[in-house]
Amino acid sequence: MKLVRFGESGAEKPGVIDAEGRIRDLSQHVGDLAGKEIDPDALSRLAGIEIDSLPLVEGTPRLGPCVAGTGKFICIGLNYADHAAESGMDVPPEPVIFMKASSAICGPNDPIVIPRGSKKTDWEVELAVIIGRHAKYVSEEDAMDYVAGYAVTNDVSEREFQTERAGQWTKGKSCDNFGQIGPWLVTKDEITDPQNLKMWLTVNGETMQDGSSATMVYGVRHLVSYLSQFMSLHPGDVISTGTPPGVGLGMKPPRYLKAGDVVELGIDGLGSQRQDVVADA
């Protein structure tokens, strides 16, 4: 299934995409795409619903982030061998973990907001893993039992804030509208191999990133298991698994976003996003 949340920010309703690409209203069956509603067993029950019997959502409503109730937005750094190379860094011996504030989360087509004082706002297409049930000390063998599905995310990053100011990466990753998630939460049964998905991103129609999750150093199973050794993972938590090469930081000379730019990105089977770039007021 391809699950969506639609409506104004803070008042989204759950929906599902039908065979013709239209949104059907799921709110008579689930309150929201959060908590126990995205447990893999609950999603299996939802799959039994006759989608064409659900109310059709008219028009083109705003899409919200495809999962609600996210407590942790966990990111993995330098997780693509080719991206590590363009960054001039070695592949890490263990996954590099950092957090992105949950307040950065927004809808897939909501604008990228360049924060005040920003000089180096950058883009990163990433595969997001959505956790569906409580996970603690899980094995790699069992890791997929805890996954609800996948989504596209743009791990927007302010590189000066991230790497040139004192402290850790979090403040360069957590500005408002730095975490577009969606358009859909695609249940894991629809993705045969999350380690073989084409990923792309363009700025003003020019291809910047053209990669594949096949070059991911630490795969989905490993990451879910690894993270669960250090912290409990809860339903709605998001793991953003790293980006392929082609970010602005890696260009010669580096290139960054400015107001008026248009960013588009997508992953095979998971849909696409489109964002206008605006300056914060």
Side-chain angles (χ1 to χ4, degrees), residues 146-161:
Y146 299 86
V147 172
Y150 307 98
V152 180
T153 188
N154 192 354
D155 175 22
V156 184
S157 308
E158 213 297 337
R159 302 302 188 185
E160 185 189 30
F161 296 177

Side-chain angles (χ1 to χ4, degrees), residues 8 28 30 33 92 98 126 157 165 250 268-269:
E8 295 303 310
Q28 61 182 291
V30 296
L33 299 178
F98 62 93
E126 303 203 5
S157 308
R165 305 272 296 265
D268 279 359

Side-chain angles (χ1 to χ4, degrees), residues 119-135:
K119 299 176 183 177
K120 300 180 179 181
T121 297
D122 203 349
W123 56 82
E124 293 188 17
V125 60
E126 303 203 5
L127 170 67
V129 179
I130 313 299
I131 297 298
R133 62 169 59 129
H134 179 260

Side-chain angles (χ1 to χ4, degrees), residues 97-234:
I97 303 169
F98 62 93
M99 295 291 192
K100 197 175 185 87
S102 59
S103 56
I105 294 173
C106 59
N109 303 317
D110 289 347
I112 294 171
V113 179
I114 297 178
R116 292 183 186 179
S118 169
K119 299 176 183 177
K120 300 180 179 181
T121 297
D122 203 349
W123 56 82
E124 293 188 17
V125 60
E126 303 203 5
L127 170 67
V129 179
I130 313 299
I131 297 298
R133 62 169 59 129
H134 179 260
K136 186 175 182 179
Y137 302 135
V138 303
S139 67
E140 283 195 44
E141 182 181 7
D142 296 333
M144 299 308 295
D145 294 342
Y146 299 86
V147 172
Y150 307 98
V152 180
T153 188
N154 192 354
D155 175 22
V156 184
S157 308
E158 213 297 337
R159 302 302 188 185
E160 185 189 30
F161 296 177
Q162 178 189 355
T163 63
E164 299 176 35
R165 305 272 296 265
Q168 298 180 336
W169 289 1
T170 301
K171 65 177 174 286
K173 296 284 190 171
S174 297
C175 303
D176 293 348
N177 286 56
F178 268 26
Q180 289 82 358
I181 304 177
W184 314 312
L185 190 169
V186 180
T187 52
K188 62 186 176 187
D189 58 289
E190 291 207 7
I191 303 299
T192 303
D193 183 4
Q195 307 308 149
N196 189 29
L197 300 175
K198 180 177 171 55
M199 309 166 69
W200 59 271
L201 182 145
T202 67
V203 179
N204 302 327
E206 180 182 354
T207 297
M208 301 298 178
Q209 294 185 271
D210 183 14
S212 169
S213 61
T215 65
M216 195 183 291
V217 178
Y218 300 105
V220 171
R221 284 183 178 274
H222 182 82
L223 291 174
V224 172
S225 173
Y226 182 84
L227 290 168
S228 78
Q229 310 306 310
F230 302 101
M231 65 190 83
S232 289
L233 303 175
H234 296 107

Side-chain angles (χ1 to χ4, degrees), residues 25-37:
D25 191 337
L26 261 180
S27 55
Q28 61 182 291
H29 294 277
V30 296
D32 206 346
L33 299 178
K36 64 182 181 181
E37 306 287 11

